[in-house]
């Protein structure tokens, strides 16, 4: 009773504290230079040049974010005071829509260039010569100004440059999905850097093919020769020059310090919801990113489940083999797969083991997930098989059934019934784990939402859509597995009715014979 009174008193104090009027937020001071950042919460993209630049300052609260959209959401919610990024990262029309503005620009213009793999001197020299010629004639500035000085660069398109060459393709990894730098509409890449490379492709007589990569994955793909060039406004730094070669600089960019625009117009909730739906799904048919990504996720999930189940049955057979050598090999395989994080294993398969095979990313993802899934389900199968009473197996053999018949008619039905709950949970986990395939340049459901987020700077709506779709996929998969088990059970019962009667008579005869003895 005393504890209940103390609990009620504690709740009352909490309510009083919550009800206390909060102090009004003071307007943020005007920012004119980096010296004014003292004491403020400053957001940067993790691993960016700005992240490294501001790391030496101990008089600010530096906060790292994985994407621009996440940082802008924090800025709009008041969890962040300033966000630092390239001056070209957020177009003017998007700044107005998001209610942000540039407080000031950095003093130093940082040169950007195209990174290439160390040793690819021929491509580097040819592209550098092409860039130097565009800089000399002023054509590079014309292309730059066309994209960067336009208030709505997302509406621009690369002009017709003539028929595409038929030579060996130049494979490009794009780490930016933001106009005016580089972005894609439907299956075509647009923007300043794609136009420069498309013009170079005509000059060199080679077609240019683009794939979207996260920055860290693009560097791995470059070093494993899966791509030849990276685009995305990459700064030339001494540290990067140790692991990559750079072409001549094709443009320079300043840092922009973005803050919330207190004078910006605030839309109603209904209008915000309408704008979110329109911007994330309707504009440029962005809903197609979701449908294409969903199809990719479904393909990888289903083929991984089927192949992984077959692999798992094989590993289980080896694990239960009378041969100690085969059983030991199976156990090592299981321990290895369980001990390696799935993301690390996937990237090793793509960038190391199958880097020079020409095998597509989807096929490698299916193989990697199937191998991982097999390690887990093999132990499920083994445990469920061993849970069947030995007496039932011995009875089946005593009735004259072969080992295979005994397994198929007595052991397997009980093992399947026992393993299905945990198998279903592992299958659902596999579907959810496929969300990491974007690291090997596969545009799955999660990667599709990331692409939309980088275009709209909306950190919430695309993730909500993807969350709902993953929930529906998991629910449908669980229902499908339940239906398969029920249908197999019904079919077995109907198919083996004569056998069951004979088996029952045999059991009675066998039992009565034992009793007579």
């Amino acid at each position: 009773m005393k504890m209940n009174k103390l609990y009620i008193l504690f709740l009352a104090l909490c309510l009083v504290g919550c009800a206390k009027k909060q102090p009004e937020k003071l307007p943020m001071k005007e920012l004119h230079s980096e010296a004014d950042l003292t004491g403020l919460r400053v957001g940067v993209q993790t691993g960016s040049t700005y992240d490294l630049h501001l790391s030496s300052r101990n008089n600010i609260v530096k906060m790292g974010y994985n994407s621009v959209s996440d940082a802008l959401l924090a800025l709009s919610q008041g969890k962040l005071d300033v966000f630092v990024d390239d001056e070209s990262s957020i177009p003017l029309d998007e700044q107005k829509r998001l209610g942000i503005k540039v407080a000031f620009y950095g003093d130093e213009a940082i040169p950007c260039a195209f990174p290439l793999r160390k040793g690819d001197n021929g491509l580097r020299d040819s592209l550098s010569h092409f860039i130097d010629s565009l800089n000399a004639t002023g054509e590079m500035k014309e292309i730059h100004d066309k994209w960067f000085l336009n208030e709505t660069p997302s509406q621009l398109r690369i002009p017709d440059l003539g028929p595409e060459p038929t030579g060996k393709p130049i494979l490009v990894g794009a780490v930016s999905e933001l106009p005016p730098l580089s972005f894609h509409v439907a299956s075509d890449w647009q923007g300043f850097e794609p136009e420069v490379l498309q013009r170079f492709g005509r000059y060199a007589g080679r077609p240019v093919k683009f794939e979207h990569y996260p920055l860290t994955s693009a560097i791995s793909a470059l070093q494993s020769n899966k791509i030849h060039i990276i685009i995305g406004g990459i700064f030339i730094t001494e540290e990067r020059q140790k692991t990559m070669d750079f072409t001549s600089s094709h443009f320079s960019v300043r840092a922009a310090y973005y803050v919330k625009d207190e004078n910006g117009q605030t839309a109603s909730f209904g209008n915000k919801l309408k704008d979110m739906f329109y911007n994330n799904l309707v504009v440029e048919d962005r809903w197609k990113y979701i449908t294409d990504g969903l199809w990719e996720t479904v393909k990888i999930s289903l083929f991984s489940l089927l192949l992984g189940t077959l692999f798992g049955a094989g590993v289980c057979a080896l694990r239960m083999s009378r041969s100690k050598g085969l059983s030991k090999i199976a156990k090592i395989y299981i321990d290895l797969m369980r001990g390696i994080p799935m993301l690390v294993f996937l990237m090793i398969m793509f960038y190391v083991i199958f880097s020079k095979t020409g095998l597509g990313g989807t096929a490698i993802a299916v193989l990697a997930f199937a191998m991982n899934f097999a390690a887990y389900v093999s132990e499920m199968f083994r445990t469920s098989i061993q849970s069947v009473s030995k007496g039932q197996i011995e009875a089946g053999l005593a009735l004259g059934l072969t080992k295979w018949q005994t397994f198929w008619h007595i052991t397997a039905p009980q093992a399947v019934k026992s393993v299905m709950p945990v198998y279903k949970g592992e299958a659902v986990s596999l579907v959810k784990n496929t969300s990491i395939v974007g690291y090997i340049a596969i545009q799955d459901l999660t990667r599709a939402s990331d692409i939309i987020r980088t275009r709209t700077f909306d950190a919430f709506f695309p993730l909500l859509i993807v969350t709902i779709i993953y929930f529906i996929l998991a629910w449908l998969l669980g229902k499908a597995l339940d239906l398969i088990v029920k249908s197999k059970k019904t079919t077995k019962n109907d198919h083996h009715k004569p056998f069951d009667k004979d088996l029952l008579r045999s059991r009675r005869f066998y039992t009565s014979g034992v009793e007579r003895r």
Side-chain angles (χ1 to χ4, degrees), residues 235-387:
F235 298 153
I236 304 173
T237 64
E238 292 184 6
E239 187 176 7
R240 289 172 178 172
Q241 286 178 321
K242 295 176 182 178
T243 56
M244 298 181 290
D245 281 341
F246 283 87
T247 63
S248 299
S249 174
H250 55 295
F251 80 110
S252 298
V253 67
R254 296 176 300 172
Y257 293 76
Y258 298 94
V259 296
K260 189 174 181 180
D261 187 359
E262 301 296 343
N263 298 322
Q265 296 180 351
T266 304
S268 64
F269 177 76
N271 288 334
K272 283 184 178 180
L273 190 62
K274 181 181 177 181
D275 288 342
M276 282 193 295
F277 183 86
Y278 181 77
N279 291 326
N280 287 285
L281 297 179
V282 178
V283 175
E284 299 175 357
D285 292 333
R286 288 173 184 157
W287 59 270
K288 291 183 179 179
Y289 293 133
I290 299 295
T291 55
D292 292 344
L294 173 61
W295 173 236
E296 200 68 34
T297 294
V298 170
K299 280 194 303 183
I300 294 173
S301 299
L302 290 181
F303 284 115
S304 298
L305 282 173
L306 293 174
L307 192 60
T309 302
L310 293 176
F311 281 178
V315 174
C316 177
L318 292 177
R319 184 77 175 86
M320 299 183 71
S321 172
R322 292 182 179 179
S323 170
K324 291 185 178 179
L326 293 177
S327 180
K328 188 70 174 177
I329 291 173
K331 189 176 185 304
I332 292 173
Y333 171 81
I334 292 168
D335 292 341
L336 190 65
M337 288 294 101
R338 284 180 166 182
I340 302 176
M342 189 61 224
L343 176 58
V344 175
F345 181 61
L346 180 65
M347 295 184 73
I348 289 174
M349 292 282 283
F350 186 76
Y351 294 115
V352 181
I353 298 176
F354 291 99
S355 62
K356 299 180 180 179
T357 61
L359 201 62
T362 300
I364 294 174
V366 168
L367 183 59
F369 279 103
M371 291 175 65
N372 182 267
F373 187 66
Y376 288 90
V377 298
S378 64
E379 288 296 272
M380 297 177 194
F381 292 161
R382 184 175 69 88
T383 304
S384 61
I385 289 171
Q386 291 177 340
S387 67

Side-chain angles (χ1 to χ4, degrees), residues 4-19:
N4 288 338
K5 289 181 179 179
L6 290 174
Y7 181 67
I8 293 171
L9 179 61
F10 174 74
L11 287 177
L13 290 173
C14 289
L15 290 173
V16 170
C18 292

